[in-house]
């Protein structure tokens, strides 16, 4: 399969739009990506060749079952990375969203699996571990919190 990061973005967006609106049109995608309709038509044509989407002539765009499976994998990676960047690295939600979008297509499956394992590992029934709160404090102030029992670097 020859799916570029741009085509992955289209699959992910189609999945999200189908959940939100139930129907996806070329115009919707062009508006979202801030491109002209012919660019969208070209991308949809490539996705059709890969049997990832279906589209009636000048009609709605839908994911095939193969396309939906791939789109869900891409979206899952996006959410995982956004959560990691926001909840662990303590980045602003908007920046985490933007950066997740930029890097989601370039990480190996092994790296994604390790981030997922890390996220699962640090979750506690009460949320996240205390050391993560210490990290947030450190990011905000440049200092370790008073109750941190970490060894200071000299």
């Amino acid at each position: 399969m020859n799916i570029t990061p741009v085509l992955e973005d289209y699959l992910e967006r189609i999945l999200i739009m189908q959940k939100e609106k139930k129907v996806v049109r070329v115009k919707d995608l062009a508006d979202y990506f801030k491109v002209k309709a012919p660019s969208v038509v070209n991308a949809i044509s490539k996705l059709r060749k890969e049997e990832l989407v279906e589209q009636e002539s000048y009609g709605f765009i839908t994911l095939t079952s193969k396309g939906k499976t791939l789109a869900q994998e891409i979206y899952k990676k996006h959410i995982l990375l956004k959560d990691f960047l926001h909840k662990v690295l303590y980045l602003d939600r908007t920046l985490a969203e933007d950066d997740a979008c930029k890097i989601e297509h370039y990480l190996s499956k092994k790296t994604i699996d390790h981030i997922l394992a890390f996220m699962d590992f640090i979750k506690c029934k009460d949320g996240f571990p205390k050391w993560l709160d210490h990290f947030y404090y450190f990011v905000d102030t440049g200092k370790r919190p008073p109750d941190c029992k970490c060894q200071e670097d000299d």
Side-chain angles (χ1 to χ4, degrees), residues 30-44:
D31 289 346
Y32 179 81
F33 289 113
K34 296 177 178 56
V35 297
K36 295 190 185 304
S39 296
V40 176
V41 170
N42 184 39
I44 296 304

Side-chain angles (χ1 to χ4, degrees), residues 1 11 14-15 18 47-48 50-55 61-74:
M1 198 173 343
L11 286 173
I14 292 167
L15 176 73
Q18 279 184 326
L47 293 171
R48 255 198 337 261
E50 296 291 339
E51 300 178 345
L52 298 171
V53 299
E54 295 173 344
Q55 182 188 23
I61 301 160
T62 57
L63 294 168
T64 63
S65 87
K66 180 177 161 184
K68 185 174 183 179
T69 299
L70 182 56
Q72 287 171 329
E73 288 172 18
I74 295 163

Side-chain angles (χ1 to χ4, degrees), residues 82-96:
K82 181 185 71 163
D83 284 351
F84 177 74
L85 295 171
H86 176 64
K87 294 179 181 174
V88 176
L89 296 186
Y90 196 49
L91 295 170
D92 165 278
R93 270 188 209 279
T94 302
L95 180 59

Side-chain angles (χ1 to χ4, degrees), residues 132-151:
L132 198 53
D133 289 332
H134 289 183
F135 174 67
Y136 297 162
Y137 182 90
F138 184 80
V139 169
D140 286 339
T141 67
K143 299 176 183 176
R144 296 180 192 277
D147 65 334
C148 181
K149 301 199 183 357
C150 303
Q151 186 174 359

